[in-house]
């Protein structure tokens, strides 16, 4: 990539990041529906997919990156379920050319450490990469707001859920950036929200298993909130509902 190409690419990335970055964290936390980081990820994901199947198609610098990185299964599936068939086909065509070139140049031959680990799956995804990049900035903003604003601490504390993966991410990437005065409080909030979510879902799954008892069968069977408890448990552990696109 020439210097100009490089500079243009970073300009594009910054432009994309700014668009994504304009999601006000406060707004995400005001909604109070499920895990706030899942909601944030969904918005970032939607914007990334919209961008790469739309305006980015005309941007050769972005195409160079998508050719190189490709996509994970999840994001390939999400793009394939959209209407933008021609942009997707064009992008896949040049990505396949890149794969072809690299196979020819033996670039994809697994190295010794991959063979030793027993895992030779090639993992890189342009969308995941962009989401992670933006999410890291969001975690810094969450930490800043929590350290400085009482109203945000209140919003954070009143979140109905935090899923397992995002509990770990909040502890890893936001907690260390919270001011020392509020760090312990932040960790306590994250712990208690994820634990409350887990207990509710676990109780619903338990209730569901009890519905298979013949004593609970019949017209008056009271499933309570347990009918979709398996799906909600899977979402808690993976951030995605089964079949969710
Ligand atoms: Zn989540
Ligand atoms: Zn991905």
């Amino acid at each position: 990539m020439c210097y100009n190409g490089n500079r243009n690419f970073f300009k594009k990335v910054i432009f994309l990041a700014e668009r994504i970055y304009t999601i006000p964290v406060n707004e995400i936390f005001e909604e109070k529906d499920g895990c706030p980081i899942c909601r944030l990820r969904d918005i970032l994901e939607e914007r990334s997919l919209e961008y790469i199947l739309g305006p980015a198609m005309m941007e050769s610098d972005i195409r160079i990156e998508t050719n190189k990185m490709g996509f994970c299964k999840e994001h390939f599936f999400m793009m394939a379920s959209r209407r933008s068939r021609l942009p997707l086909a064009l992008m896949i065509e040049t990505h396949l050319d890149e794969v072809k070139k690299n196979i020819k140049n033996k670039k994809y031959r697994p190295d010794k450490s991959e063979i030793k680990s027993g895992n030779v799956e090639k993992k890189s995804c342009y969308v995941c990469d962009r989401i992670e990049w933006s999410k890291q900035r969001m975690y810094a903003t969450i930490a800043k707001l929590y350290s400085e604003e009482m109203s945000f601490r209140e919003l954070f504390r009143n979140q109905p859920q935090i899923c397992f993966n995002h509990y770990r991410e909040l502890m890893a990437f936001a907690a260390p950036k919270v001011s020392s005065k509020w760090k312990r409080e932040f960790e306590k909030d994250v712990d208690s929200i994820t634990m409350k979510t887990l207990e509710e879902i676990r109780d619903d799954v338990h209730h569901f298993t009890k519905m298979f008892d013949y004593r609970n069968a019949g017209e008056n069977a009271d499933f309570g909130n347990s009918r979709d408890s398996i799906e909600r448990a899977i979402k808690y552990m993976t951030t995605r509902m089964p079949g969710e696109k």
Side-chain angles (χ1 to χ4, degrees), residues 180-192:
S180 54
K181 189 180 171 197
W182 293 105
K183 190 170 181 278
R184 203 175 282 254
E185 197 73 14
F186 179 81
E187 288 174 342
K188 218 171 88 189
D189 285 346
V190 176
D191 267 333
S192 90

Side-chain angles (χ1 to χ4, degrees), residues 72 75 125 128:
C72 66
H75 289 131
C125 171
C128 283

Side-chain angles (χ1 to χ4, degrees), residues 125-140:
C125 171
Y126 180 80
V127 178
C128 283
D129 194 68
R130 298 303 345 133
I131 291 174
E132 282 313 311
W133 191 85
S134 307
K135 229 169 23 156
Q136 287 299 332
R137 273 139 196 87
M138 290 294 176
Y139 281 128

Side-chain angles (χ1 to χ4, degrees), residues 62-70 91 94-95 98-99:
I62 304 287
R63 185 76 81 84
I64 288 167
E65 287 303 302
T66 59
N67 287 347
K68 238 191 323 195
M69 301 186 77
M91 193 165 55
T94 51
H95 174 54
E98 177 95 8
V99 172

Side-chain angles (χ1 to χ4, degrees), residues 101-118:
K101 189 180 84 194
N102 289 336
I103 289 180
K104 222 171 165 183
N105 296 338
K106 302 185 173 46
K107 255 196 173 174
Y108 289 145
R109 294 275 181 96
D111 61 32
K112 276 185 191 150
S113 69
E114 287 175 298
I115 296 168
K116 205 174 162 202
S117 74

